[in-house]
Amino acid sequence: MSNSTGSEFDIVPRQPNGRLRFPDAFLHPEPSPPSISEPKRPLLPESDNKYKVKLIDDNEESGNTIKIVDMQDIERDHHVFNKSNIQRFIRECAQKDVSYIGGPWIVYPRIATNYNIDTTLPKDLQRDDTMIVTQRQAQQQQKLKKPSGKTADEKEAERKAKREQFLLQKIKLKEERERQREERKRQAAVKYPLEDLDLPIYRKNPNTNWTLVDMCPLNYSNDTVIPYPSGGRSDRPVPRHDSSIPPALFDTFLSIYAFVNVFSEPLKIPSFSIDEFERALLHDTHQPKATVLVEYNSCLLNVIINERKKDTTNELANGDIMESYVEDMEESDDEDDDESEKKIPRVERGWRDENILKISQKWDNKELRQSYDRRGWETTLIGCLNDVATPDLVSDLDQILQHLVPRYQSTAADREQQYPTLSLKNKLDILSFLVDVVNESTLIKDYMEYCHEQISELRRQKIELNKEFKALHVKKVEMDRRDRAEKSKKTDEEGGDESDEDSESSDDSKDDDDEDNDDDDDLSDSSMNLLDRYERRHQSRQEKLRQKQKEREEMEQLRHKMYKEQKEATKVKNQELRIKAEERKKLDEEEKILRKKEEQIEKGMRRYMTLRIRPLGKDRFYNKYIYLDNVGVSNTCGSGRLYVHSPSDIDIQMMMERDVSTDFPEQPWGYGGGKWFILTLMKEQGFIEESEWLSKRMDELDTGSPDSEYKGWWKYYSDPEDIQKLLSWLNPKGIREYKFKNELLKQQSNLVDSIKKRAHSSTKKEPINKRVTRSKSVVNGSDTWSQHK
């Protein structure tokens, strides 16, 4: 803060209105009135705090300028040092050097003289100013210099060089046009669909007029980038993989569910959804019971019991394979040690143990009835594993039996509590073994023959239906041809009427001309017509009126007659149109009925198709897409998902052979690359995890030591929007994706309905021990399996 006396303010010159001049107004500000200097914000409350303030002034000693003041005495005038006043002060006191960019601000000489301000530029600014002046002088001198004249030879050489350059550019342009023409011919020679990885679209470079590059491993060695990896298609939707079933067991899990779902009618297995099956496998407590596993195991065991009672030729169900295995083991042991009697490897409470044999006696005497809640099915399962299974058929058979029989002389209640605590792998191994045994039964073979007969009958019906479709199509074509012929005939008649009217109008004009000529003749010969004129003038008025009345009556009769004819013609025409509309409507209804029949036939064929787990198709990278529908089972949603499975080892070897194969036939559009090309294309299209897995699997197969236990990855789509995005991503110009897209389009409505039904059922979770209900399914009035039996 500055401290100034009142005499100093009086010496400063002022304007006529009493205000200070710039810049003196900033150097010697006027004291503001109390009303203006009051702050807008509310005053702070008074406090006992004191502040020490030092007033700085050159004329006084620093020791005499220290004061003790209150908080209310300290303030700053906001109306003097604001932004607008400071900007105005700068404009009034200085100007910018605009002679070059970045010039400095320079104080006016009069103000610098008045306040003793040094106007000498700093060294760096002087250096920049000198450099700018030197450059300007050089530019001016360059402009003043006259161009040196060229000789005739130099001008001729320059013209010749320009002409040669023009001719070279013309030749290059012609070569480029020829190259583009040849490129178009090559691309036009492509016949789709072809191998998905050999599609030309991935190898066209958009930066060089879509030049097609042949990336055959025999000819192409620049493994850097792929010119157009997206191929003009939309991004692939990312599948999900949050299933509780490990990938190594998912194949077994899906196969078991597909089997019991397809053969649920002959096996008398109640229908359950795949989510209920998954939750039951993860259920590890005795109460409540996992109804799904109880029903699956019990129904499969009942089929095996019936097979053993009927003494069929099923060697697996009858125990013949088990007995042969035991005999082979005894023979091998006899060869090793002739002195021993029974050398079968025994495990305490394991396979063929005496305790297990004692527990499982008469396990196949009676079926497991649903009315008794399948009571004792665990003991029946132990007997089946002991008398039918072998260690080669069921892995970890001894450990499973040891777990199911916790101790010697265990009770049924003890064994009943053991099954839920089995591992997920052991539960799936048991179900897989039971499925393999039942699959060889006469019941399944008879049902498959019955399904084959039903499919043959449905195919015959479909052939007859196609004939009806063709006959209906012929009728529609004939009706369209007849309508076109009538329309063209009507158009010709309208054109003929117009020409007749024109001819009549021309005849009338001719008659009028003749009458005018006659009138002229009559007028010329006035003496001959005087008598007629006199007679017409004296003709009776009543006779004229009678003549006019007669003409009016004749015109009215003619109009009435024409109206009747027109009305009759309109009636006939409307009747014809009504008949045609009824015929067309009848044909449309017949087509609708035939379409409905075709849909029912397709549904029936799908129901009796025993190979229901067949993939819908493969994409360009050999990934398989699988959908399990709910045809034949009315109260489930099927899988409710579109599963995606990794390529098989055979498919991976086919991709690896692209690098080493030498028998590539000549084709104008070339080939895609091998391993590098496939992995790079997968990464560019969003297959990051899949490409890493494929690279690892290729290395394992290449070294000859593949991991046989690892069966690849499983993912799925469970959103209708993802299905639509997947259809947009598929390229039908490739062989595999062409077939897969057509099949997916056929199943899209069923798949979307299944996804929605599963989403709706997931909102209301069923209990793990829900009540079992039987579902009846009849397709098109066909004989069901029970009626057939």
Side-chain angles (χ1 to χ4, degrees):
M1 299 176 65
S2 62
N3 187 14
S4 301
T5 61
S7 60
E8 291 177 352
F9 286 103
D10 297 336
I11 299 173
V12 178
R14 297 175 179 272
Q15 297 182 10
N17 56 6
R19 295 182 180 178
L20 296 175
R21 298 179 183 275
F22 279 96
D24 297 327
F26 286 92
L27 299 177
H28 306 282
E30 290 183 352
S32 301
S35 60
I36 300 176
S37 62
E38 291 181 359
K40 294 182 180 180
R41 60 187 179 182
L43 294 175
L44 297 173
E46 296 184 0
S47 64
D48 297 336
N49 296 330
K50 301 293 183 179
Y51 296 90
K52 182 186 291 186
V53 180
K54 182 178 181 181
L55 303 177
I56 300 173
D57 197 339
D58 295 338
N59 299 328
E60 296 182 4
E61 295 293 336
S62 60
N64 299 330
T65 57
I66 298 176
K67 296 182 179 181
I68 304 299
V69 296
D70 296 331
M71 183 177 65
Q72 302 295 337
D73 297 333
I74 301 174
E75 63 180 2
R76 180 174 67 84
D77 191 354
H78 296 276
H79 297 279
V80 176
F81 296 101
N82 54 26
K83 183 178 178 181
S84 60
N85 286 342
I86 293 174
Q87 290 177 349
R88 185 178 178 187
F89 167 72
I90 294 174
R91 287 196 302 269
E92 293 284 344
C93 298
Q95 64 178 354
K96 187 176 182 181
D97 188 0
V98 296
S99 59
Y100 60 93
I101 298 175
W105 284 83
I106 301 175
V107 181
Y108 288 128
R110 58 182 179 80
I111 296 176
T113 304
N114 189 14
Y115 296 100
N116 296 325
I117 299 174
D118 188 9
T119 59
T120 304
L121 291 175
K123 292 183 180 180
D124 53 347
L125 293 179
Q126 287 181 1
R127 185 169 58 254
D128 294 342
D129 187 62
T130 304
M131 183 177 63
I132 294 297
V133 172
T134 305
Q135 289 179 357
R136 286 184 178 177
Q137 291 177 358
Q139 290 176 0
Q140 291 178 0
Q141 291 178 3
Q142 188 69 21
K143 290 180 180 179
L144 294 176
K145 286 183 180 180
K146 294 183 179 180
S148 58
K150 296 182 181 179
T151 62
D153 295 338
E154 291 177 350
K155 292 180 180 179
E156 182 65 24
E158 187 176 354
R159 272 197 305 272
K160 187 175 180 181
K162 289 182 179 180
R163 181 168 181 80
E164 289 178 355
Q165 185 177 3
F166 174 75
L167 292 175
L168 287 174
Q169 291 179 354
K170 192 174 180 180
I171 292 171
K172 289 181 179 179
L173 186 62
K174 186 177 180 181
E175 291 177 353
E176 181 65 20
R177 284 199 295 266
E178 289 291 335
R179 188 193 64 77
Q180 292 180 4
R181 190 180 295 110
E182 293 295 329
E183 189 72 23
R184 285 194 295 270
K185 287 181 180 179
R186 287 174 58 192
Q187 297 180 14
V190 181
K191 295 182 179 180
Y192 299 106
L194 49 87
E195 167 57 37
D196 299 73
L197 296 175
D198 292 335
L199 288 177
I201 188 63
Y202 304 124
R203 297 176 281 113
K204 290 182 179 180
N205 194 342
N207 299 322
T208 57
N209 293 324
W210 301 98
T211 305
L212 185 60
V213 182
D214 187 5
M215 291 189 172
C216 179
L218 300 177
N219 306 326
Y220 188 77
S221 59
N222 186 17
D223 296 346
T224 54
V225 294
I226 298 176
Y228 196 39
S230 66
R233 315 298 296 183
S234 59
D235 295 336
R236 179 192 70 113
V238 181
R240 302 175 61 183
H241 52 90
D242 53 357
S243 176
S244 303
I245 308 298
L249 301 175
F250 200 88
D251 197 1
T252 306
F253 164 76
L254 204 62
S255 300
I256 294 171
Y257 180 77
F259 180 84
V260 297
N261 193 34
V262 171
F263 298 103
S264 60
E265 188 174 358
L267 298 177
K268 299 179 182 179
I269 296 180
S271 58
F272 298 99
S273 66
I274 195 169
D275 296 322
E276 293 172 340
F277 181 39
E278 182 177 348
R279 290 198 299 269
L281 287 171
L282 301 174
H283 183 66
D284 57 357
T285 59
H286 173 56
Q287 292 294 339
K289 292 183 178 180
T291 308
V292 179
L293 294 184
V294 172
E295 292 296 325
Y296 281 2
N297 285 284
S298 301
C299 292
L300 294 173
L301 288 170
N302 284 338
V303 176
I304 297 175
I305 291 172
N306 290 327
E307 287 288 306
R308 293 173 67 90
K309 285 182 178 180
K310 295 177 182 179
D311 195 17
T312 59
T313 57
N314 189 348
E315 296 180 353
L316 187 57
N318 292 332
D320 297 339
I321 294 180
M322 185 274 299
E323 293 176 358
S324 300
Y325 181 83
V326 172
E327 291 176 359
D328 293 340
M329 293 294 295
E330 290 178 350
E331 290 177 0
S332 62
D333 290 339
D334 291 339
E335 292 176 359
D336 295 338
D337 189 2
D338 297 334
E339 297 179 357
S340 60
E341 297 179 359
K342 294 190 293 183
K343 298 296 182 181
I344 302 175
R346 304 280 185 188
V347 178
E348 183 181 355
R349 292 178 288 110
W351 180 66
R352 306 302 296 172
D353 184 67
E354 293 180 357
N355 186 32
I356 301 296
L357 293 173
K358 185 178 180 181
I359 290 173
S360 60
Q361 286 179 355
K362 300 180 181 180
W363 66 271
D364 55 353
N365 282 357
K366 59 181 179 179
E367 296 183 7
L368 300 168
R369 296 183 181 180
Q370 185 178 355
S371 58
Y372 291 97
D373 295 333
R374 312 291 187 185
R375 191 177 304 163
W377 73 270
E378 294 89 354
T379 305
T380 305
L381 176 62
I382 294 171
C384 180
L385 293 176
N386 196 38
D387 291 347
V388 179
T390 63
D392 292 342
L393 297 176
V394 180
S395 60
D396 301 331
L397 180 58
D398 290 329
Q399 289 81 352
I400 292 174
L401 289 172
Q402 282 181 335
H403 189 89
L404 292 176
V405 183
R407 57 187 174 80
Y408 282 112
Q409 298 179 354
S410 60
T411 62
D414 296 335
R415 295 189 293 272
E416 189 176 347
Q417 297 177 5
Q418 290 301 110
Y419 181 84
T421 57
L422 281 171
S423 65
L424 177 62
K425 182 179 182 302
N426 289 337
K427 292 178 182 178
L428 289 174
D429 286 342
I430 293 172
L431 284 172
S432 179
F433 164 72
L434 296 178
V435 165
D436 291 340
V437 176
V438 172
N439 191 36
E440 298 296 328
S441 64
T442 56
L443 179 68
I444 297 300
K445 292 179 180 178
D446 293 343
Y447 183 75
M448 292 182 71
E449 291 179 1
Y450 164 74
C451 290
H452 182 70
E453 293 174 0
Q454 294 296 321
I455 290 176
S456 301
E457 177 63 23
L458 291 172
R459 284 175 179 168
R460 187 189 62 77
Q461 294 179 11
K462 191 172 183 180
I463 293 173
E464 297 295 331
L465 194 65
N466 289 335
K467 292 180 180 179
E468 294 181 10
F469 268 119
K470 290 181 180 179
L472 187 65
H473 180 68
V474 170
K475 290 181 181 179
K476 280 191 172 184
V477 170
E478 185 65 28
M479 184 176 290
D480 293 339
R481 187 185 296 112
R482 185 182 60 188
D483 292 343
R484 286 195 299 269
E486 291 179 357
K487 188 175 181 181
S488 60
K489 184 179 180 181
K490 184 178 179 182
T491 305
D492 295 339
E493 289 178 356
E494 290 178 355
D497 295 339
E498 291 178 359
S499 61
D500 294 340
E501 291 177 359
D502 294 338
S503 61
E504 288 177 0
S505 60
S506 61
D507 293 339
D508 294 339
S509 62
K510 289 181 181 180
D511 294 339
D512 294 339
D513 295 338
D514 294 339
E515 290 176 359
D516 294 338
N517 295 331
D518 294 340
D519 292 340
D520 294 338
D521 294 337
D522 293 340
L523 290 173
S524 63
D525 195 6
S526 59
S527 60
M528 296 293 293
N529 296 329
L530 285 175
L531 184 60
D532 295 336
R533 232 181 276 164
Y534 177 77
E535 291 177 355
R536 283 198 301 272
R537 191 179 299 126
H538 291 82
Q539 194 175 6
S540 171
R541 180 179 178 84
Q542 293 181 356
E543 187 178 352
K544 289 182 179 179
L545 293 174
R546 283 195 300 270
Q547 185 69 22
K548 288 182 179 180
Q549 181 66 22
K550 186 177 180 181
E551 291 177 356
R552 281 197 295 269
E553 290 176 355
E554 291 178 354
M555 289 295 294
E556 186 66 25
Q557 292 177 358
L558 182 61
R559 190 180 298 110
H560 187 65
K561 183 179 180 182
M562 290 178 64
Y563 174 74
K564 282 187 175 182
E565 292 177 355
Q566 187 177 4
K567 186 177 180 181
E568 189 67 25
T570 305
K571 185 177 180 181
V572 172
K573 186 176 181 181
N574 291 336
Q575 189 174 1
E576 292 177 354
L577 293 176
R578 193 181 301 109
I579 292 172
K580 290 179 181 179
E582 289 177 356
E583 290 179 357
R584 192 170 292 277
K585 184 179 180 181
K586 187 177 179 181
L587 292 178
D588 293 339
E589 290 178 354
E590 289 180 3
E591 184 179 7
K592 195 176 295 184
I593 293 172
L594 292 178
R595 293 292 180 191
K596 192 173 181 180
K597 286 183 180 179
E598 184 181 22
E599 182 180 352
Q600 293 294 331
I601 290 173
E602 291 291 339
K603 189 175 182 181
M605 293 181 69
R606 183 72 178 168
R607 176 184 178 236
Y608 292 112
M609 187 71 66
T610 55
L611 190 61
R612 198 82 60 82
I613 201 173
R614 182 181 55 185
L616 295 179
K618 300 179 182 179
D619 62 12
R620 64 199 66 164
F621 303 117
Y622 291 93
N623 298 320
K624 297 185 286 292
Y625 293 80
I626 299 171
Y627 164 60
L628 303 178
D629 58 18
N630 61 332
V631 176
V633 184
S634 59
N635 59 343
T636 64
C637 57
S639 62
R641 296 170 177 175
L642 180 63
Y643 290 103
V644 189
H645 188 30
S646 58
S648 62
D649 288 345
I650 297 176
D651 296 331
I652 295 175
Q653 288 175 355
M654 290 176 61
M655 289 188 278
M656 294 171 61
E657 288 176 358
R658 295 173 64 90
D659 281 326
V660 297
S661 180
T662 57
D663 55 346
F664 287 102
E666 188 75 21
Q667 56 185 16
W669 54 89
Y671 291 89
K675 177 181 177 181
W676 165 85
F677 177 82
I678 296 170
L679 295 177
T680 306
L681 193 63
M682 290 180 71
K683 292 178 182 178
E684 293 290 340
Q685 295 187 4
F687 292 82
I688 306 298
E689 297 179 0
E690 294 85 343
S691 62
E692 294 175 357
W693 177 87
L694 182 61
S695 177
K696 180 181 177 182
R697 191 62 178 172
M698 283 181 172
D699 295 338
E700 291 176 357
L701 294 175
D702 194 17
T703 56
S705 58
D707 186 4
S708 58
E709 295 182 358
Y710 187 60
K711 297 183 180 180
W713 49 264
W714 282 87
K715 299 182 180 181
Y716 66 89
Y717 293 108
S718 59
D719 192 347
E721 293 183 1
D722 290 342
I723 304 300
Q724 191 61 40
K725 291 179 182 178
L726 180 64
L727 286 169
S728 302
W729 174 75
L730 295 174
N731 192 342
K733 292 184 178 181
I735 294 176
R736 290 186 295 278
E737 293 190 0
Y738 171 76
K739 297 178 181 179
F740 171 46
K741 188 171 185 179
N742 290 338
E743 194 65 28
L744 183 59
L745 285 172
K746 291 180 183 178
Q747 300 293 335
Q748 184 180 8
S749 59
N750 298 330
L751 178 57
V752 171
D753 292 341
S754 177
I755 290 174
K756 292 180 179 178
K757 191 173 180 181
R758 178 183 175 273
H760 178 70
S761 62
S762 62
T763 56
K764 46 177 184 178
K765 253 187 180 179
E766 296 288 346
I768 199 73
N769 60 339
K770 75 170 188 176
R771 185 179 178 183
V772 178
T773 57
R774 296 288 299 166
S775 62
K776 297 180 181 180
S777 58
V778 180
V779 180
N780 291 341
S782 302
D783 294 336
T784 60
W785 171 245
S786 58
Q787 293 173 349
H788 176 77
K789 290 180 67 177

